[in-house]
């Protein structure tokens, strides 16, 4: 699950959700030829062989930490921890769930940075350690493999079914990085990942109860929105690199117009799904989501990030409602 390619469910997102990097000129290297990371890749050496001034062991450790997409990884992990505590799992069990989610998110983030290192170097993306030579791409791949190897027993320790659900979501996020990001199914890993999170938490409870349907549905809708929001700032650059995910096919304007819809739907599901009348929190979230659905497209021509800012505000309200509803079985 990756909220980001910055869930996150990626790319996640993600959001990451969420981790979009600005586009700039390809940085030049420190050697006498002035060759940058992209030139090293084309020469067959790759960013791993670059050794920029000041980089050493400490720089590589920092680079490895930054390569995991820490923002989206911590956001999704925090959500999993909050859902676990809110469901009554207790401290030790919640810590186990949190560790499983964290290792899964780390594996997805490192996989994303390592796989995209060549393209990021060619595009001159800043803040990409595997692309600018701060850390070797093979080291990032190794970190991703170790994190995934740790994720397997940690997930299964939460329960066989809960672990299988979580591992399926992590696998879907890896497939997003390796293949689905560039296809019309780019949204699917985000939907699966965000929907799987409350499911895995609920199944971790004693007796393995099924989650309430509105928590899974709302999570999936938030995952779809996270994919749109995470991709929106990089659509033009991604298109130039040959990526044709769903947001790239919709274009900037189409993605900006669509973004409020899943957020509004997620809010409606959380407000009307539980038995009984809509409470004050649900009503307030509905008003906020409706306002963002109207204001985002209206202000999009004047402020490029208007839709994204509105989405973040609505997502915060939706997540608060999701946590209030809990993830325990119905």
């Amino acid at each position: 699950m990756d909220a980001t390619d910055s869930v996150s469910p990626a790319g996640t997102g993600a959001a990451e959700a969420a981790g979009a990097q600005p586009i700039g000129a390809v940085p030049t290297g420190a050697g006498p030829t002035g060759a940058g990371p992209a030139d090293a890749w084309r020469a067959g050496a790759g960013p791993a062989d670059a050794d920029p001034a000041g980089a050493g062991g400490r720089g590589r450790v920092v680079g490895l930490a930054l390569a995991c997409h820490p923002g989206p990884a911590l956001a999704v992990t925090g959500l999993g921890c909050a859902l676990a505590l809110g469901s009554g799992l207790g401290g030790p069990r919640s810590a186990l769930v949190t560790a499983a989610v964290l290792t899964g998110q780390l594996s997805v983030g490192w996989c994303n940075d390592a796989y995209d290192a060549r393209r990021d170097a060619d595009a001159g993306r800043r803040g990409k350690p595997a692309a600018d030579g701060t850390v070797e791409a093979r080291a990032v791949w190794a970190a991703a493999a170790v994190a995934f190897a740790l994720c397997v027993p940690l997930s299964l320790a939460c329960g066989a079914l809960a672990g299988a659900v979580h591992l399926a979501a992590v696998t879907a996020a890896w497939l997003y990085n390796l293949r689905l990001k560039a296809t019309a199914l780019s949204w699917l890993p985000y939907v699966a990942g965000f929907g799987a999170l409350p499911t895995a938490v609920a199944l971790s409870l004693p007796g393995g109860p099924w989650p309430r349907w509105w928590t899974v549905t709302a999570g999936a809708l938030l995952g779809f929105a996270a994919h749109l929001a995470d991709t929106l700032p990089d659509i033009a650059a991604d298109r130039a690199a040959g990526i044709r995910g769903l947001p790239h096919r919709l274009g900037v304007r189409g993605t900006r117009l669509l973004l409020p819809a899943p957020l509004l739907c997620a809010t409606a599901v959380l407000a009307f799904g539980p038995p009984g009348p809509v409470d004050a929190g649900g009503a307030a979230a509905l008003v906020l989501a409706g306002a963002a659905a109207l204001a985002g497209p209206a202000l999009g021509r004047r402020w490029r990030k208007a839709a994204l800012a509105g989405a973040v505000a609505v997502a915060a309200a939706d997540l608060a409602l999701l946590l209030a509803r809990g993830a325990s079985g119905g």
Side-chain angles (χ1 to χ4, degrees), residues 1-14 16 66-70 72-73 76-77 100-116 128 140-141 143-149 151 166-178 181 189-190 193-194 230:
M1 305 158 289
D2 203 342
T4 89
D5 180 36
S6 242
V7 239
S8 169
T12 133
E16 26 291 212
L66 294 175
C68 75
H69 296 218
V76 175
T77 302
V101 175
L102 176 60
T103 52
Q105 290 300 301
L106 289 175
S107 77
V108 172
W110 278 322
C111 167
N112 180 275
D113 239 41
Y115 185 76
D116 286 346
K128 293 288 189 177
V140 182
W141 275 123
V146 170
F148 186 80
C151 180
H166 182 241
L167 290 173
V170 174
T171 301
W174 273 66
L175 289 176
Y176 172 85
N177 291 336
L178 301 177
K181 176 167 58 178
Y190 277 82
F194 277 77
D230 182 44

Side-chain angles (χ1 to χ4, degrees), residues 10-327:
T12 133
E16 26 291 212
Q21 299 296 335
I23 304 301
V26 177
T28 56
T33 62
D39 301 299
W41 272 114
R42 283 189 282 271
D49 300 289
D51 190 17
R58 181 177 180 183
R60 290 188 178 91
V61 171
V62 173
L64 191 62
L66 294 175
C68 75
H69 296 218
L74 291 176
V76 175
T77 302
L79 174 60
C81 179
L83 284 173
L85 291 172
S87 298
L89 276 176
R93 193 76 171 171
S94 295
L96 179 61
V97 170
T98 302
V101 175
L102 176 60
T103 52
Q105 290 300 301
L106 289 175
S107 77
V108 172
W110 278 322
C111 167
N112 180 275
D113 239 41
Y115 185 76
D116 286 346
R118 183 191 297 267
R119 183 171 62 239
D120 289 339
D122 288 337
R125 289 180 184 264
R126 300 183 186 275
K128 293 288 189 177
D132 63 20
T134 303
V135 64
E136 298 87 348
R138 60 178 174 269
V140 182
W141 275 123
V146 170
F148 186 80
L150 291 173
C151 180
V152 173
L154 287 171
S155 297
L156 294 177
C158 298
L161 190 53
V165 169
H166 182 241
L167 290 173
V170 174
T171 301
W174 273 66
L175 289 176
Y176 172 85
N177 291 336
L178 301 177
R179 173 60 181 166
L180 294 180
K181 176 167 58 178
T183 74
L185 295 177
S186 60
W187 54 272
L188 186 58
Y190 277 82
V191 170
F194 277 77
L197 189 55
T199 303
V201 169
L203 292 172
S204 299
L205 289 165
W210 288 102
R212 294 177 173 127
W213 68 268
W214 60 82
T215 64
V216 179
T217 303
L221 288 167
L222 287 174
F224 185 72
H227 176 47
L228 298 178
D230 182 44
T231 308
L232 183 57
D234 287 335
I235 285 180
D238 287 344
R239 274 180 162 180
I243 297 176
R244 297 287 293 175
L246 178 62
H248 310 95
R249 296 165 191 255
L250 295 173
V252 173
R253 184 172 182 273
T255 301
R256 186 186 297 122
L257 290 173
L258 178 61
L259 180 54
L263 292 167
L264 179 60
C265 291
T267 308
V269 167
L270 289 172
F272 293 105
V278 178
D279 57 19
L286 281 170
V287 171
L288 176 60
L294 296 174
L299 298 176
R301 294 181 180 179
R302 297 184 179 181
W303 182 28
R304 178 173 172 265
K305 295 186 178 181
L308 183 57
V312 170
V314 177
D318 285 350
L319 291 177
L321 278 178
L322 181 61
L323 293 174
R325 302 303 183 192

